[in-house]
Amino acid sequence: MSHATDRVGDSVHIIGAGIVGMCTALYLQREGFEVTVLDGRGPGEGASGGNAGSLGIASIPPASLPGVIRRVPRMLLDPQAPLIIRWRELPRLLPWFARFVRNATPSRVERIADARARLLERVHDAYAPLLEDAGAGDLVRRTGKVIAFEHADGPARNRYTMEMRRRRGVRMEVLDGDAVRRMEPALGPLVRAGVYFPDVHYVADPLRLVQTFAERFQRLGGRLLKETVTGVEMEAAGPQAILTTAGRHTVGRLVLAAGPWSRPLARMVGYRVPMATPFGYHTMLVDTKVRPRLPVMSDDRNIAVTPMDGAVRITGIAEFAAVDAPADWRRADIALGHVRALMPDLGGTVASRWQGARPSTPDSLPVIGRSPHFSNVFFAFGHDSLGLTMGAVTGRLIAAELAGRAPEIDMAPYRPDRFDPAWLGLLTCTRPGNMPYRG
Ligand SMILES: Cc1cc2nc3c(=O)[nH]c(=O)nc-3n(C[C@H](O)[C@H](O)[C@H](O)COP(=O)(O)OP(=O)(O)OC[C@H]3O[C@@H](n4cnc5c(N)ncnc54)[C@H](O)[C@@H]3O)c2cc1C
């Protein structure tokens, strides 16, 4: 099918001013589109501003790996574990977990790893022009990142995922405990080994990055509206208008980039996406006695420590809950306790805490591409723990598709209709019911 009419001058509305929405907006502007971004909050005030800041190009292994069916139940029974389920959510989550577990076969894992690698190897290249144009290059720190282990044979025990990375070209260096501490003196004696990834950069203020992109977008003539989308007016050819807290906008092309809230929006345009929204938490520590030199991720405890501008950010926990459920700050305390064990001299006082949701698909791949039903609808969500990393490459792919250019990679693994037969979505094409989103 030709989409030549998508070219220059056409209008595009994007729902969501997170990192994915803003990168998409900037790339669409580069293609000459007239872009409006709508968000009920300020740019980056979803998950994009509160994450660990990692441009995680080494995160090739998916979440669902062989053996997951044995490990997860054990973790769920441990109150200190990094994976938590609010039990009331379990019935709704079971179909998602069933798909998740199905993706743990070795052959599926390899296919998913390939598809993740194809996006990850383009991350720095896709960000470069946006960072340069917005004057935001100084927000990206090129320190590399360490994964710390509390067993000397930690890297060997993780041979499967290490090899998965190595075979796809990720550079890494295995270190013993002393070498890890020389690299990151804030780490204490519990750490017995590590792996250093020199090409994993990080963003020292993710909120500022999204805000800077939003400012640049507006300076280039883009419209950023602080409005919550509450409904979509559908006709046979697709959405004709969106309804918001401020009124109605006629739409030409529509991009859904609403992160964890994309599921109800997608449903309005006839697409059922299996998406869970595990919460994560962060704590900002100020006046620490030592400042970590580079981001550290603990393999055993699944928490991350990032030396952000002005504070040390501690992130972690995957708590499966409804996207609009209230925060449970005990989770943030658990993550902080883990960091105090790993970095005993860190000190510092808590300046703020934050909770946000990750948009997680059961196959650890984002949903990127044109709707199977309507040629004027595009999906750009489901990036799980890699939305900051994959924001720019997603924006570049969506912009190319709208511009009618051949994609730079095979888009099949990210297709919106990979989960269900397309007709199933159309049966459920609906106006909004409850929008679990508070702008
Ligand atoms: C604790 C934690 C740590 C993480 N660490 C990393 C990391 O180190 N590296 C990494 O790459 N990723 C990380 N992530 C994941 C990353 O933060 C997300 O994948 C990413 O932010 C998703 O971006 P987004 O633009 O899709 O969604 P969001 O940033 O959530 O943006 C969606 C936007 O849509 C808006 N919206 C929703 N519904 C509506 C509506 N109806 N009308 C109008 N607006 C609407 C929201 O207000 C929001 O601003 C982490 C996540 C968490 C929770």
Side-chain angles (χ1 to χ4, degrees):
M1 196 192 320
S2 159
H3 296 293
T5 50
D6 286 348
R7 279 296 314 166
V8 183
D10 273 358
S11 75
V12 183
H13 285 74
I14 300 176
I15 306 176
I19 189 66
V20 176
M22 290 320 309
C23 289
T24 304
L26 290 173
Y27 265 112
L28 283 168
Q29 278 182 325
R30 289 174 160 248
E31 296 285 351
F33 288 97
E34 207 176 277
V35 186
T36 302
V37 179
L38 301 106
D39 198 308
R41 304 178 182 177
E45 291 181 6
S48 296
N51 56 51
S54 179
L55 296 177
I57 61 148
S59 298
I60 285 170
S64 183
L65 292 169
V68 71
I69 192 98
R70 282 195 311 279
R71 278 197 309 274
V72 169
R74 241 197 343 256
M75 257 199 249
L76 292 176
L77 296 172
D78 174 0
Q80 296 292 309
L83 183 67
I84 296 154
I85 284 197
R86 296 204 187 165
W87 291 105
R88 145 168 12 121
E89 279 301 300
L90 191 60
R92 227 170 44 89
L93 280 170
L94 276 176
W96 186 93
F97 274 117
R99 290 172 185 271
F100 182 76
V101 169
R102 247 189 288 148
N103 283 309
T105 62
S107 60
R108 282 203 195 197
V109 167
E110 287 300 321
R111 276 209 304 275
I112 292 169
D114 280 338
R116 283 165 71 93
R118 272 197 293 277
L119 297 176
L120 293 173
E121 65 202 21
R122 290 169 165 75
V123 164
H124 295 324
D125 176 60
Y127 264 118
L130 303 188
L131 291 167
E132 194 190 336
D133 187 49
D138 62 322
L139 286 174
V140 177
R141 306 287 149 79
R142 294 170 170 78
T143 52
K145 174 178 177 165
V146 159
I147 298 186
F149 298 90
E150 290 167 55
H151 300 274
D153 63 350
R157 284 193 208 176
N158 284 270
R159 192 177 297 116
Y160 176 61
T161 48
M162 293 299 172
E163 280 310 308
M164 199 181 292
R165 293 175 164 111
R166 209 186 299 277
R167 274 188 277 115
R168 291 169 178 86
V170 174
R171 290 200 304 150
M172 64 186 102
E173 193 184 331
V174 176
L175 308 167
D176 64 19
D178 289 339
V180 180
R181 269 180 295 279
R182 276 197 298 279
M183 192 168 267
E184 180 44 79
L187 286 166
L190 281 184
V191 173
R192 312 276 304 281
V195 178
Y196 175 61
F197 296 96
D199 301 320
V200 176
H201 305 160
Y202 79 99
V203 178
D205 188 341
L207 179 61
R208 185 80 211 113
L209 178 71
V210 185
Q211 289 170 337
T212 306
F213 281 174
E215 283 157 20
R216 182 68 189 143
F217 165 72
Q218 288 173 286
R219 272 203 306 279
L220 292 170
R223 284 200 313 161
L224 179 59
L225 306 178
K226 194 161 187 183
E227 298 177 24
T228 295
V229 176
T230 55
V232 179
E233 273 182 19
M234 297 295 292
E235 289 184 7
Q240 299 305 299
I242 49 177
L243 309 173
T244 75
T245 40
R248 178 182 180 280
H249 302 275
T250 305
V251 296
R253 310 282 179 279
L254 182 62
V255 180
L256 306 190
W261 298 276
S262 297
R263 191 163 67 151
L265 291 166
R267 207 165 165 136
M268 284 183 213
V269 295
Y271 177 58
R272 287 153 49 103
V273 52
M275 198 161 73
T277 52
F279 289 163
Y281 292 82
H282 89 213
T283 299
M284 297 293 269
L285 283 184
V286 292
D287 301 327
T288 52
K289 284 195 235 140
V290 288
R291 181 167 162 82
R293 289 181 185 164
L294 77 174
V296 174
M297 163 100 197
S298 158
D299 181 73
D300 306 84
R301 301 166 190 259
N302 220 355
I303 48 100
V305 183
T306 313
M308 294 286 178
D309 282 351
V312 175
R313 180 173 290 180
I314 289 147
T315 43
I317 310 290
E319 182 188 30
F320 285 83
V323 67
D324 52 349
D328 180 345
W329 297 111
R330 288 173 305 175
R331 312 304 182 203
D333 294 339
I334 290 172
L336 180 57
H338 285 311
V339 171
R340 298 238 177 265
L342 287 171
M343 297 184 168
D345 298 330
L346 187 62
T349 51
V350 174
S352 61
R353 294 191 298 191
W354 170 93
Q355 172 243 39
R358 307 170 180 89
S360 300
T361 61
D363 62 3
S364 298
L365 290 172
V367 180
I368 307 173
R370 196 181 289 261
S371 153
H373 313 316
F374 304 116
S375 64
N376 65 339
V377 177
F378 299 81
F379 299 114
F381 57 79
H383 294 78
D384 194 21
S385 296
L386 288 174
L388 182 69
T389 306
M390 293 178 174
V393 67
T394 300
R396 191 163 80 182
L397 289 166
I398 291 281
E401 183 148 15
L402 261 91
R405 269 204 312 282
E408 60 188 282
I409 54 174
D410 173 17
M411 296 298 289
Y414 326 105
R415 278 175 62 100
D417 58 351
R418 65 184 187 268
F419 301 108
D420 283 316
W423 55 266
L424 201 60
L426 275 178
L427 283 182
T428 58
C429 187
T430 164
R431 297 281 306 272
N434 290 327
M435 174 66 72
Y437 169 78
R438 293 181 295 272

